[in-house]
Coordinates of all heavy atoms in Angstrom, one line a residue:
D11 N 19.5 40.9 61.6 CA 18.7 41.3 60.4 C 18.5 40.1 59.5 O 19.0 40.1 58.3 CB 19.4 42.5 59.7 CG 20.8 42.1 59.1 OD1 21.5 41.2 59.6 OD2 21.2 42.7 58.1
D15 N 22.6 34.1 56.6 CA 23.7 33.7 57.6 C 23.3 34.0 59.0 O 23.8 33.4 59.9 CB 25.0 34.4 57.2 CG 25.0 35.9 57.1 OD1 23.9 36.5 56.9 OD2 26.0 36.5 57.3
D16 N 22.4 35.0 59.2 CA 21.8 35.2 60.5 C 21.0 34.0 61.0 O 21.2 33.5 62.1 CB 20.8 36.4 60.5 CG 21.4 37.7 60.0 OD1 21.7 37.8 58.9 OD2 21.6 38.6 60.9
N40 N 19.6 43.5 55.9 CA 19.5 42.7 54.7 C 18.2 43.0 54.0 O 18.1 42.9 52.8 CB 19.6 41.2 55.1 CG 21.0 40.8 55.5 OD1 21.9 41.2 54.8 ND2 21.1 40.0 56.5
I124 N 24.7 41.0 64.8 CA 25.1 40.4 63.5 C 24.4 41.1 62.4 O 24.2 40.5 61.3 CB 24.9 38.9 63.5 CG1 23.4 38.5 64.0 CG2 25.9 38.2 64.4 CD1 23.1 37.0 63.9
G125 N 24.0 42.4 62.6 CA 23.4 43.2 61.6 C 24.0 44.6 61.8 O 25.0 44.8 62.5
N166 N 27.4 45.6 57.2 CA 26.8 46.0 58.4 C 27.3 47.3 58.9 O 26.6 48.1 59.6 CB 27.1 44.9 59.5 CG 26.3 43.7 59.4 OD1 25.3 43.7 58.7 ND2 26.7 42.6 59.9
D239 N 27.8 35.6 59.7 CA 27.2 35.6 61.0 C 27.4 34.3 61.7 O 27.5 34.2 62.9 CB 25.7 35.9 60.9 CG 25.5 37.3 60.4 OD1 26.4 38.2 60.5 OD2 24.3 37.6 59.9
Ligands
CA2 CA1 23.3 39.8 59.4

Side-chain angles (χ1 to χ4, degrees):
D11 62 333
D15 58 335
D16 302 70
N40 286 318
I124 52 176
N166 285 340
D239 296 340

